[in-house]
Amino acid sequence: MPKLHVADEQAWLAALGLTPRVEESSGDDFVRELVVPVADSEEVRISWDLTDDSVRVRHQRGGSIVADLFREMVTLLTVLSQDAVREVVVEYGITGWTGRTRIQVLPEVRIRDEVLRS
């Protein structure tokens, strides 16, 4: 059974200058979110449910949703920082298949998603 491991608050703060907070719309203390401003009218909203091992990533620009990714059976949610590039990595899967989604949030948004059978 998957168990979601999330980067600690210091990792988020060091990479993005932000810390996760309780997602207000769910009203559930186990659902956390992080809103990363990319430009004046662009943001990436990452939310995760610690009890359901799920992650949602929404990229919004000018009030419109550009991408909305939802992954279940997530095993890892972390943040990476190299030079000016900041990425959020989501790994997921169960026996027989695995996946990885890399969301570059800064300096611009780029999303790469791979799912592989084993």
Side-chain angles (χ1 to χ4, degrees):
M1 202 68 178
K3 176 67 179 145
L4 175 55
H5 297 280
V6 179
D8 65 24
E9 288 191 4
Q10 271 43 39
W12 295 109
L13 186 60
L16 299 172
L18 305 165
T19 56
R21 62 181 185 216
V22 172
E23 183 188 51
E24 293 177 15
S25 63
S26 70
D28 187 339
D29 289 341
F30 293 106
V31 179
R32 310 280 289 168
E33 78 173 345
L34 192 68
V35 179
V36 183
V38 179
D40 289 338
S41 62
E42 185 176 15
E43 69 182 21
V44 175
R45 183 176 299 264
I46 304 147
S47 59
W48 59 94
D49 187 328
L50 296 171
T51 59
D52 287 341
D53 299 331
S54 62
V55 174
R56 169 166 259 141
V57 177
R58 284 192 177 134
H59 174 211
Q60 297 180 351
R61 184 182 307 130
S64 298
I65 295 176
V66 177
D68 186 359
L69 304 170
F70 181 74
R71 298 293 181 257
E72 294 182 304
M73 295 176 267
V74 177
T75 56
L76 178 68
L77 174 62
T78 194
V79 62
L80 303 175
S81 173
Q82 183 176 355
D83 300 323
V85 175
R86 303 295 183 264
E87 284 187 321
V88 174
V89 177
V90 180
E91 293 181 354
Y92 50 94
I94 59 172
T95 304
W97 64 275
T98 59
R100 173 183 270 191
T101 304
R102 295 179 73 107
I103 305 101
Q104 177 182 306
V105 293
L106 296 171
E108 63 186 4
V109 178
R110 293 184 183 172
I111 299 172
R112 291 182 306 277
D113 190 39
E114 299 172 343
V115 179
L116 301 170
R117 288 186 301 165
S118 55

